[in-house]
């Protein structure tokens, strides 16, 4: 065994082999791949081998598209196409929505009739089928053959592959990986990539890292030969929970049963190239459903029954990226669709490792999205089980998962419950979506999916904030302290705006990557000469914390960067009457200007008041130590009621921010969009040096534009194609209804300006719209600065 390598990959499945190959393509030669058994002996060898491309996540779709491009150059690829059936009208709506998504990626997904589906897959019984779609570029591939082909290419590029080599430990020194210890000797290294699949949690623990993955028993059968057909497409019927693909003259059939079976962690040490015992009782539902769609399945013989553990994450997205230990990467948790994504995983991970950041927006797959709650094996298991058992369910907007709740709660949680709050969950926090008690009018229910999980209370809370005042619990906001002698210098380097200003200044800013893309979007409050408070979105705390620490390490900055989210409650008071309400509770002057902060006493509570808004109204975010939270809320509620103030939730905040054009990271902006493209050029200070500065183009070809739709009941949800002159020019990043402006609003990156007529495809229907000047509400910002 060699005693050193720059990069060590642990795991010889299709993911590890793909990463090794793609690293060599980028010029890396000092790469060693370690496998405890033989190649493919984890989950790869028993994968079903279906390769579908379209996913809800745009980046994963592009990754799968790249996989197909790569697999076309490898032996064993069969481009047979893929059919998805709708056995309910609701599923047909989902299919038409997905056809719209596909057009934004150039995928030739098309709606086909039931008769056309039968012609393509003659074994199916069309009874109960409402409709279908067909993607001719989907296919299938033998998983083991794929893994060996990628491994051969990696060897050709200079990578070394060592099988039958068991990893015993990972040494970490000063926060970075330094060594991998194996039963064949130790390997000094700079980078370790954990591609362990179901073994990934165990490998992570060797370096003190929690990888939130649970092995789930996934079953399918391979039938005996019974037909003479060739070129059958893959077939999915999610309403019946089943999928099929051709296997020579037989079929492979599997699915996602409603009663799942999590497996053990740690996985037994000798579990190499093995399967679990068949569980026919648990497979009965799938088996019965399969015969409804393909009747011959009731009588055909079974050649083999495969019950293999597959690594699943809590949200059914891959687990990729660098961990809190420097140089330790993860590429695991492929959730039974790793064969489809393996090519793309290799591409993005190799870029991430070599360049220090990925080219594409991988937030939905980034390991940093899993906050500290996922250190709990119990919580992780609950979320994974719920995810697996609802794998084929239609995900309507506003759908809320239930497992592991409630977990993280504000000090006002009990008050919210008593007052009829309907909760949502984000990053483990219970957050108010709206209050059922505010359903005091019928309201205008949007058509289609946007009308599901909707309440007239959203409009009531929105309008009250615009006319009097709204009180919102934002305790879940992530809060990060940056302190120390180099704090100001570090933040000036990280942020595109000037943040090291006078004490008390609040700055809205972005943190950019080296390509000028927006890695973070937050406010920075200077509390002292060497003391800064960063406030970011609930779900982005671990991401932004990791980004700041990474830049601090790279510059050797003398700073302390700490997550202080749980120290502070935060309540937002916004609206035309906000100053009148707050003045009842404090003798401190409230004349300090917009985007500044002051320490106040509100009632009996010490408060840091930030004069900021995400609603486009006069107001403050009020921060206090968590133990004062209930007292502060009570004081604010009592003072506000005589003015007609209402308590509101996050659904109202979203409609308020849409009217003002406030951007949301992870939807409207992200690592692939620059501030000038996003309409945030006002934050950029080109007279100072900052990360990503040299990559910025102040005159980009496309910009984020606001679209108003002609039909206010038709509401865009995200990813819908936007056409200009009949051609797809962009896709919707976010949308909703503006209760003050009375319009359906959507945002999209487009190469055209205000006044341009467009169409937005909603569930197969072209809806007229126009690019509007923004913001739609209070364009001069007079209400914010009142």
């Amino acid at each position: 065994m060699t005693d050193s390598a720059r990069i060590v990959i642990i795991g010889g499945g299709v993911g590890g082999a793909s990463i090794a190959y793609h690293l060599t393509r980028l010029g890396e030669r000092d790469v060693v791949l370690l496998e405890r058994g033989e190649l493919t002996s984890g989950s790869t060898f028993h994968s079903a081998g279906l390769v579908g491309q379209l996913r809800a996540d745009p980046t994963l779709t592009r990754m799968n598209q790249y996989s197909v491009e790569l697999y076309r150059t490898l032996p064993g690829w069969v481009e047979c196409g893929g059919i998805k059936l709708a056995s309910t009208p609701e599923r047909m709506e989902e299919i038409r929505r997905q056809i719209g998504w596909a057009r934004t990626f150039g995928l030739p997904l098309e709606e086909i009739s039931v008769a056309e589906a039968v012609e393509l897959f003659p074994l199916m019984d069309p009874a109960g089928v409402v409709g279908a779609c067909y993607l001719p570029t989907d296919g299938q591939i033998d998983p083991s053959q794929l893994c060996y082909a990628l491994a051969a290419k990696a060897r050709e590029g200079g990578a070394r592959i060592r099988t039958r080599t068991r990893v015993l430990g990972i040494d970490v020194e000063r926060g970075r990986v330094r060594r991998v210890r194996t039963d064949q000797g130790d390997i000094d290294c700079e980078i370790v990539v954990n591609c362990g699949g179901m073994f990934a949690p165990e490998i992570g623990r060797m370096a003190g890292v929690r990888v939130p993955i649970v092995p789930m028993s996934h079953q399918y059968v391979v039938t005996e030969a019974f037909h003479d057909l060739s070129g059958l497409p893959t077939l999915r019927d999610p309403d019946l929970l089943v999928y099929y693909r051709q296997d020579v003259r037989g079929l492979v059939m599997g699915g996602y049963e409603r009663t799942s079976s999590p497996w053990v962690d740690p996985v037994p040490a000798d579990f190499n190239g093995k399967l679990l015992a068949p569980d026919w009782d648990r497979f009965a539902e799938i088996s019965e459903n399969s015969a409804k769609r393909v009747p011959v399945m009731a009588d055909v013989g079974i050649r083999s029954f495969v019950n293999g553990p597959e690594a699943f994450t809590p949200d059914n997205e891959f687990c990729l990226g660098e961990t809190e230990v420097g140089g330790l990467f993860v590429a695991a948790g492929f959730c039974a669709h790793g064969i489809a994504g393996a090519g793309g995983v290799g591409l993005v991970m190799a870029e991430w490792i070599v360049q220090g950041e990925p080219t594409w927006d991988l937030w939905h797959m980034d390991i940093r999205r899993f906050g500290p709650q996922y250190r709990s094996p119990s919580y992780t298991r609950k979320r994974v089980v719920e995810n697996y058992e609802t794998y084929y369910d239609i995900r309507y907007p506003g759908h809320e998962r239930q497992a592991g709740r409630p977990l993280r709660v504000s000090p006002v949680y009990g008050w919210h419950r008593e007052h009829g709050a309907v909760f949502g969950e984000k990053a483990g926090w219970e957050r108010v979506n709206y209050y059922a008690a505010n359903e005091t009018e019928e309201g205008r229910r949007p058509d289609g999916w946007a009308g599901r999980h909707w309440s007239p209370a959203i409009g009531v809370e929105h309008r009250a904030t615009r006319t009097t005042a709204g009180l919102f619990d934002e305790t879940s906001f992530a809060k990060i302290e940056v302190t120390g002698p180099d704090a100001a210098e570090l933040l000036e380097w990280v942020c595109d705006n000037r943040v090291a200003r006078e004490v008390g200044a609040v700055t809205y800013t972005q943190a950019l990557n080296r390509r000028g893309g927006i890695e973070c979007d937050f406010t920075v409050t200077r509390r002292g000469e060497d003391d800064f408070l960063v406030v970011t979105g609930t779900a982005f705390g671990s991401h932004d914390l990791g980004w700041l620490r990474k830049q601090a390490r790279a510059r050797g900055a003398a700073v302390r960067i700490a997550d202080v989210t749980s120290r502070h409650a935060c309540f937002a008071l916004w609206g035309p009457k906000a100053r009148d309400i707050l003045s009842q509770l404090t003798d401190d002057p409230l004349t300090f200007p917009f985007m500044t902060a002051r320490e106040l006493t509100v009632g009996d509570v010490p408060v840091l008041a930030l004069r900021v808004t995400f609603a486009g109204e006069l107001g403050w975010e009020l921060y206090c130590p968590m133990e004062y939270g209930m007292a502060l809320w009570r004081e604010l509620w009592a003072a506000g009621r005589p003015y007609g103030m209402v308590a509101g939730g996050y659904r109202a905040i979203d409609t308020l921010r849409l009217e003002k054009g406030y951007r949301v990271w992870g939807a409207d902006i992200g690592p692939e969009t620059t501030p000038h493209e996003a309409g945030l050029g006002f934050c950029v200070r080109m007279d100072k040096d900052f990360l990503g500065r040299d990559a910025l183009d102040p005159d980009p070809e496309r910009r984020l534009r606001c679209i108003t739709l002609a039909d206010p009941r038709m509401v865009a949800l995200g990813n819908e194609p936007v056409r200009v002159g009949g051609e797809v020019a962009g896709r919707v990043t976010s949308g909703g209804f503006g209760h003050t402006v009375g319009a359906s609003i959507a945002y999209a990156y487009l190469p055209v300006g205000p006044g341009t007529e467009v169409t937005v495809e909603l569930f197969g229907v072209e809806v007229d719209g126009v690019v509007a000047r923004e913001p739609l509400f209070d364009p001069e910002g007079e209400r914010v600065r009142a």
Side-chain angles (χ1 to χ4, degrees), residues 298-328:
D299 303 309
V300 69
I302 302 301
R303 181 159 56 88
S304 61
F305 188 114
V306 176
N307 184 0
E310 296 271 3
F312 274 76
T313 64
D315 60 4
N316 202 43
E317 298 280 4
F318 296 168
C319 187
L320 308 178
E322 191 172 11
T323 70
E324 62 265 35
V325 173
L328 177 60

Side-chain angles (χ1 to χ4, degrees), residues 497-539:
N497 207 340
R498 193 169 298 282
V499 297
R501 301 189 291 128
E502 68 277 7
V503 173
V506 181
T507 307
Y508 171 53
T509 184
Q510 295 76 47
L512 310 184
N513 56 39
R514 61 183 181 79
R515 302 182 313 280
I518 301 171
E519 280 291 339
C520 312
D521 180 72
F522 45 54
T523 61
V524 179
T525 301
R526 191 169 199 174
R527 301 186 300 188
E529 287 301 312
D530 301 328
D531 183 350
F532 296 82
L533 175 67
V534 174
V535 179
T536 188
T538 300

Side-chain angles (χ1 to χ4, degrees), residues 453-485:
H453 305 298
W454 171 90
S455 167
I458 300 167
V460 172
E461 293 164 11
H462 172 117
R463 286 186 289 273
T465 305
R466 289 273 187 253
T467 57
T468 54
L471 182 62
F472 301 89
D473 185 350
E474 296 182 335
T475 298
S476 66
F477 274 11
K479 312 162 196 87
I480 301 168
E481 284 183 348
V482 183
T483 57

Side-chain angles (χ1 to χ4, degrees), residues 38-115:
E38 299 295 339
L39 294 179
T40 83
S41 63
S43 296
T44 297
F45 82 95
H46 59 70
S47 297
L50 284 72
V51 179
Q53 295 168 87
L54 185 64
R55 293 291 189 273
D57 180 78
T59 300
L60 183 54
T61 298
R62 286 188 285 174
M63 289 166 62
N64 291 351
Q65 286 179 278
Y66 171 81
S67 292
V68 168
E69 293 174 10
L70 173 62
Y71 299 168
R72 285 171 178 153
T73 70
L74 302 177
W77 169 247
V78 179
E79 196 157 317
C80 56
I83 299 172
K84 181 176 181 179
L85 301 178
S87 297
T88 62
E90 293 79 10
R91 186 70 65 178
M92 198 64 222
E93 288 180 333
E94 180 190 52
I95 284 178
R96 288 182 177 137
R97 174 168 162 76
Q98 291 172 339
I99 289 171
W101 293 353
R103 292 192 176 111
T104 69
F105 302 111
L107 281 172
L109 182 66
E110 58 181 326
E111 183 175 340
I112 61 174
S113 67
V114 177

Side-chain angles (χ1 to χ4, degrees), residues 501-626:
R501 301 189 291 128
E502 68 277 7
V503 173
V506 181
T507 307
Y508 171 53
T509 184
Q510 295 76 47
L512 310 184
N513 56 39
R514 61 183 181 79
R515 302 182 313 280
I518 301 171
E519 280 291 339
C520 312
D521 180 72
F522 45 54
T523 61
V524 179
T525 301
R526 191 169 199 174
R527 301 186 300 188
E529 287 301 312
D530 301 328
D531 183 350
F532 296 82
L533 175 67
V534 174
V535 179
T536 188
T538 300
F540 310 138
S542 56
H543 172 279
D544 293 1
L545 182 73
W547 182 259
L548 291 170
R549 285 176 172 170
K550 181 178 181 178
Q551 306 314 315
R553 287 195 301 266
R555 295 178 68 83
V559 295
R560 178 179 180 271
I561 303 173
D563 182 352
V564 295
T565 300
S566 298
R567 292 186 192 172
H568 307 285
C570 173
F571 308 132
L573 173 63
W574 293 318
K577 299 295 184 182
R579 182 178 282 118
D580 295 333
I581 294 168
L582 193 58
S583 64
Q584 305 299 307
L585 301 173
T586 182
D587 294 328
D588 295 308
L590 298 177
T591 55
F592 55 97
F594 184 55
M595 298 305 287
T596 58
R598 297 289 186 273
E599 291 187 353
L600 310 174
T601 299
V602 178
D604 296 327
V605 178
V607 165
L608 177 65
L610 272 60
R611 179 80 188 281
V612 297
T613 182
F614 201 55
E617 296 290 344
L618 164 71
W620 296 265
E621 287 178 358
L622 305 172
Y623 294 81
C624 70
M626 196 71 83

Side-chain angles (χ1 to χ4, degrees), residues 8 12 48 50 57 88 106 137 156 196 251 319 342 360-361 421 431 450 454 485 562 584 622 624 661 689 722 762-763:
V8 174
L50 284 72
D57 180 78
T88 62
T137 55
E156 290 171 6
L251 288 178
C319 187
W360 290 341
D361 179 1
R431 311 194 317 168
W454 171 90
Q584 305 299 307
L622 305 172
C624 70
D689 193 20
V722 181
L762 300 177
F763 299 91

